Amino acid sequence: MLPKRRSCGEGGRRGDPVISCDVTTPAILWFRRDLRLYDHAALLAAARRSESVLAVFVLDDNLLRPAGASRRDFLYGCLRELDERLGHRLLLRHGDPAEVLPELAERVGAGSVHVSADTNPYGSRRDERVRDALRERGVDWEVTGSPYAVTPGRITKADGNPYKVFTPFRRAWSEHGWPPPAETGVDTVDWMSPEGLDGVPVPDGEQAAAPDLPPPGETNALRRWDGFVESGLPEYDQQRDRPDIAGTSRMSAYLHLGCVHPRTMLRDLSQLDHHGAGSYRNELAFREFYADVLWNWPDSARYNFDTRFDRMPLDTGSEANTLFDIWCAGRTGFPIVDAGMRQLLQEGWMHNRVRMIVASFLVKDLHLPWWWGARHFMLHLVDGDLASNQHGWQWAAGSGTDAAPYFRIFNPTTQGERFDPSGEYVRRYVSELRDVGGKRVHQPWKFDGAQAPDYPAPVVDHSHERQEALARYGRIKNS
């Protein structure tokens, strides 16, 4: 439903921008990590500002280059779906947003550019440049909402400092609350035609044999979410750690690109009263916590949050590089680790429990830098989110907020036996072990090598490397 128009100079609800121009002046809605039409606060703000809106997405090489083929292909699919829903009125441009947006605003006579906040380090710097370039041309820059229920930076302790520990953050986050979903859709505004504005087509997929990416776009995101709420959520708290079964929602890629807003999901969760809903809400809170940490400490994307870990002895050199390549390829000789790394390469995704297992193996069995693994994940993950990825890796390394205790070192064999008890997950991704039945698959070194002649022997002795990791952590834990 089209929202009520407001006259210039008129305010709306508390926090709404004050309108300062004629509603007949066009506006631009710059889509970023908000590739949807429902529950879109910036779209609602644009509708209050103007009767005609130009939908724009800028293909920015600074974001595309490090994304990896899986994430780029999923992005392109989401853009196609959004363009179709807009009646092919989504304008794509390729270039520097600080040059593209001001030029477009001048060509269409736009009085304002509307966005959802981007709180990542690069996005914040880029948006400052775009805002300044627009203001030089007399074009307003309006930020409304973000990819989070509570925009990073808004929740602080009583003394005004940000939270470093998840549990009190989650409590404050819940108490802070969030508005209901914005009632927006394709009919909220009159979308301008991009004809004659030098748009480019959505790029084709880059991978000849594309991985099993989730079906892209808002429609598929909402369909998947509705199906999960009905059939998967009640058992989520019991099944989410099992990679051998479909116990998770697989919503992470949709959340990353904003095909669905967490506010929509939280509304649905609030109407349910079972452990699965509470557990899922907790995971959404973790996503918001890590985004808040990145906003307050942007260097935590690259450096140890706990600076004591700057003194942690790490392996480097040719042997370390070789072990890293073996880990990346899924050839470590530890089945659950190899299954996870091969799933990542094949599907652009990895089960969250397995992400923790392979991360622990890299930093505590191979003694390699966490940022090597984080960079590899960001290259291949379709849901690669800077805040969640980097801080998840720091959790595994012990150097982050709420980090795993230094003495918590996952045993990859017992982790596999516990969370993949039948061995189904390993057999699915490690072809050399597909003929090995039951949980025996987690200890292939115990049976005749003839059953799996092509599967490698373990690259390290876990018991020995565990003691080595404890010794290294012991050198810094009291420093």
Side-chain angles (χ1 to χ4, degrees):
M1 181 178 68
L2 191 66
K4 179 183 177 182
R5 304 293 182 190
R6 300 208 316 270
S7 301
C8 293
E10 178 188 357
R13 299 174 301 178
R14 186 175 64 179
D16 284 345
V18 174
I19 303 235
S20 59
C21 71
D22 190 336
V23 293
T24 60
T25 301
I28 292 175
L29 178 60
W30 177 19
F31 285 92
R32 291 103 71 85
R33 288 179 56 194
D34 50 0
L35 303 184
R36 66 184 183 281
L37 295 174
Y38 176 67
D39 192 8
H40 200 304
L43 170 56
L44 191 59
R48 291 178 174 138
R49 183 70 184 257
S50 179
E51 293 180 352
S52 58
V53 174
L54 178 66
V56 176
F57 186 91
V58 182
L59 296 165
D60 182 350
D61 286 334
N62 289 309
L63 293 175
L64 293 175
R65 276 194 301 266
S70 294
R71 197 150 70 256
R72 287 194 297 266
D73 283 359
F74 185 68
L75 166 64
Y76 301 153
C78 292
L79 290 173
R80 289 190 193 93
E81 197 260 2
L82 178 60
D83 184 43
E84 290 173 3
R85 297 194 66 206
L86 289 171
H88 301 289
R89 288 172 290 183
L90 175 65
L91 174 66
L92 258 70
R93 282 288 200 88
H94 196 161
D96 181 350
E99 298 175 358
V100 171
L101 271 301
E103 185 264 337
L104 278 176
E106 184 172 349
R107 286 184 65 175
V108 303
S112 57
V113 172
H114 297 261
V115 296
S116 303
D118 188 335
T119 57
N120 280 349
Y122 169 74
S124 298
R125 296 192 302 270
R126 174 207 59 206
D127 284 358
E128 288 180 2
R129 294 193 301 113
V130 176
R131 179 199 63 198
D132 293 345
L134 289 169
R135 286 179 175 173
E136 289 179 0
R137 292 164 173 79
V139 180
D140 292 340
W141 169 258
E142 295 196 10
V143 181
T144 312
S146 74
Y148 304 96
V150 181
T151 299
R154 290 189 178 175
I155 295 177
T156 61
K157 296 184 287 186
D159 61 5
N161 290 317
Y163 285 95
K164 296 181 180 181
V165 179
F166 170 67
T167 300
F169 172 88
R170 180 190 59 196
R171 201 157 40 237
W173 174 78
S174 296
E175 292 172 355
H176 181 282
W178 39 85
E183 295 297 332
T184 57
V186 69
D187 296 327
T188 297
V189 297
D190 294 326
W191 299 99
M192 296 176 61
S193 170
E195 186 175 353
L197 294 176
D198 307 318
V200 299
V202 178
D204 293 328
E206 301 173 37
Q207 295 176 235
D212 296 328
L213 299 179
E218 178 182 12
T219 301
N220 288 309
L222 294 174
R223 183 180 295 125
R224 180 182 287 271
W225 173 244
D226 289 343
F228 176 73
V229 168
E230 180 178 349
S231 62
L233 188 60
E235 303 299 324
Y236 175 73
D237 61 320
Q238 299 175 5
Q239 298 186 352
R240 66 189 182 92
D241 277 326
R242 291 281 301 275
D244 56 326
I245 58 180
T248 64
S249 67
R250 295 295 297 266
M251 291 295 296
S252 53
Y254 297 117
L255 277 166
H256 174 65
L257 288 182
C259 298
V260 62
H261 197 280
R263 189 168 50 193
T264 300
M265 304 165 77
L266 287 162
R267 175 202 58 194
D268 295 342
L269 294 173
S270 70
Q271 299 169 2
L272 301 170
D273 185 21
H274 53 61
H275 291 300
S279 182
Y280 200 96
R281 177 187 169 102
N282 200 60
E283 294 304 309
L284 289 176
F286 251 119
R287 177 177 181 267
E288 308 238 335
F289 173 60
Y290 283 151
D292 193 74
V293 171
L294 183 61
W295 166 255
N296 286 291
W297 294 279
D299 283 348
S300 63
R302 296 180 297 163
Y303 304 111
N304 292 317
F305 187 84
D306 184 343
T307 56
R308 293 180 302 167
F309 282 76
D310 294 346
R311 298 187 294 278
M312 168 69 77
L314 298 172
D315 290 355
T316 57
S318 60
E319 184 176 352
N321 291 333
T322 298
L323 285 173
F324 180 67
D325 290 341
I326 289 171
W327 176 84
C328 291
R331 299 284 296 171
T332 69
F334 290 88
I336 192 71
V337 174
D338 294 342
M341 299 307 296
R342 296 186 194 187
Q343 181 184 25
L344 175 64
L345 295 177
Q346 292 174 27
E347 300 178 4
W349 189 80
M350 189 192 301
H351 188 278
N352 186 62
R353 166 56 60 170
V354 185
R355 295 187 198 198
M356 292 191 286
I357 295 171
V358 304
S360 177
F361 188 84
L362 182 81
V363 299
K364 296 178 179 177
D365 282 80
L366 302 183
H367 317 296
L368 301 180
W370 64 262
W371 50 92
W372 289 13
R375 183 171 56 242
H376 182 74
F377 269 31
M378 287 297 290
L379 178 63
H380 292 284
L381 283 171
V382 67
D383 63 0
D385 178 270
L386 185 68
S388 295
N389 184 68
Q390 308 303 94
H391 294 112
W393 271 93
Q394 291 226 44
W395 177 89
S399 62
T401 62
D402 281 324
Y406 74 93
F407 50 81
R408 185 182 187 186
I409 300 173
F410 285 174
N411 182 317
T413 302
T414 57
Q415 287 282 310
E417 291 173 341
R418 178 180 177 185
F419 296 109
D420 182 27
S422 69
E424 179 61 29
Y425 176 75
V426 164
R427 283 188 292 274
R428 191 180 307 155
Y429 295 103
V430 183
S431 59
E432 305 96 306
L433 301 177
R434 283 179 182 165
D435 294 330
V436 180
K439 68 190 313 180
R440 295 172 63 245
V441 76
H442 293 293
Q443 300 189 61
W445 50 85
K446 284 190 173 181
F447 53 75
D448 184 354
Q451 289 184 263
D454 298 323
Y455 188 66
V459 293
V460 294
D461 179 331
H462 170 71
S463 296
H464 172 79
E465 302 307 335
R466 179 180 184 276
Q467 293 303 317
E468 173 63 19
L470 289 173
R472 296 189 187 197
Y473 277 77
R475 296 175 201 171
I476 68 167
K477 69 184 179 71
N478 294 320
S479 61

